[in-house]
């Protein structure tokens, strides 16, 4: 089983840091799960314009393939102006809805105010619903207060929520696929 972590932004470090931390927890607790990180900063992805996938650039096709071939996801986004960035929305537009169907999604977001956590409920979960994906009940929302000046996560509650999300996405994925489920200690 392959878990793909997605940092859906081309600016800033905190989103990628939190997604990577979830992936580290999964790797530590569930060594049987293959994990991969897709950081949108590493790719030059074209805007979705409706053409077939094979007509896009190499980077765009590579991103489409990585997402389409993963078994489940931890998707991270910063919150800008009360919404997800265009980079992540474009990514969702590029992926055929069937690629996400019946797959588990866990969400991670970060923003400047505590109120922006509602973007997970009001924007990301409805997108997952459109794709007919299963959403982990727990999500992780971080603000500047959860990091030190070196962008290290220093908030124990946030680290605990990261651990819970790691458990939930794996537990859900294994349950859906009929695999034996053993919760990590």
């Amino acid at each position: 089983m392959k878990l793909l972590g997605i940092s859906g932004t081309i600016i800033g470090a905190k989103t990628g840091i939190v997604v990577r931390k979830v992936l580290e927890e999964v790797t530590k607790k569930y060594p049987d799960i293959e994990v991969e990180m897709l950081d949108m900063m590493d790719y030059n992805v074209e805007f979705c314009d409706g053409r077939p996938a094979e007509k896009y650039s190499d980077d765009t096709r590579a991103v489409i393939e990585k997402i389409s071939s993963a078994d489940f996801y931890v998707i991270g986004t910063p919150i800008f102006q009360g919404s997800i960035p265009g980079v992540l929305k474009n990514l969702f537009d590029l992926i055929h809805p069937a690629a996400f169907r019946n797959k588990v999604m866990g969400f991670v977001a970060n923003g400047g105010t505590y109120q922006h956590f509602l973007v997970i409920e009001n924007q990301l979960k409805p997108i997952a619903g459109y794709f007919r994906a299963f959403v982990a009940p727990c999500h992780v929302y971080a603000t500047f207060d959860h990091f030190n000046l070196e962008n290290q996560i220093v908030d124990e509650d946030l680290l605990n929520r990261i651990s819970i999300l790691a458990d939930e996405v794996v537990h859900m994925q294994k349950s859906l696929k009929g695999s034996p489920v053993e919760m990590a200690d």
Side-chain angles (χ1 to χ4, degrees):
M1 265 186 277
K2 182 189 220 176
L3 170 61
L4 182 66
I6 301 171
S7 178
T9 184
I10 56 172
I11 189 167
K14 289 177 177 61
T15 302
I17 289 167
V18 179
V19 172
R20 281 181 184 86
K21 191 68 175 168
V22 176
L23 297 181
E24 286 173 20
E25 285 291 307
V26 169
T27 299
K28 180 173 70 175
K29 295 176 174 184
Y30 306 96
D32 60 316
I33 302 294
E34 178 186 352
V35 299
E36 183 178 355
M37 179 70 181
L38 173 64
D39 191 330
M40 293 307 294
M41 287 188 211
D42 297 336
Y43 296 88
N44 184 15
V45 174
E46 295 173 284
F47 284 110
C48 178
D49 60 12
R51 64 189 129 138
E54 64 272 4
K55 301 281 186 182
Y56 285 102
S57 69
D58 290 346
D59 270 4
T60 305
R61 286 194 321 272
V63 166
I64 292 169
E65 176 56 30
K66 283 179 187 290
I67 293 171
S68 298
S69 65
D71 296 305
F72 60 130
Y73 311 91
V74 171
I75 300 172
T77 183
I79 307 302
F80 298 137
Q81 309 299 337
S83 186
I84 64 174
V87 172
L88 184 58
K89 176 60 171 97
N90 185 57
L91 194 63
F92 286 137
D93 290 343
L94 285 165
I95 307 303
H96 191 281
F100 288 122
R101 189 178 197 94
N102 296 324
K103 293 182 181 179
V104 174
M105 291 182 176
F107 292 117
V108 168
N110 60 287
T113 70
Y114 282 96
Q115 292 79 3
H116 283 137
F117 82 91
L118 292 171
V119 171
I120 295 170
E121 295 294 331
N122 296 324
Q123 291 179 23
L124 291 173
K125 286 184 178 181
I127 290 170
Y130 169 77
F131 287 130
R132 302 297 189 255
F134 298 103
V135 178
C138 176
H139 62 263
V140 174
Y141 182 77
T143 67
F144 299 112
D145 298 338
H146 296 121
F147 298 85
N148 65 17
L149 294 176
E150 290 78 39
N151 272 340
Q152 297 167 322
I153 300 170
V154 294
D155 184 86
E156 289 300 320
D157 183 56
L158 181 66
L159 290 169
N160 185 52
R161 286 182 279 130
I162 286 170
S163 180
I164 291 168
L165 179 60
D167 287 336
E168 284 185 358
V169 294
V170 171
H171 178 80
M172 288 179 69
Q173 181 65 21
K174 286 186 172 189
S175 295
L176 287 168
K177 298 306 174 192
S179 298
V181 178
E182 293 181 33
M183 295 301 285
D185 294 327

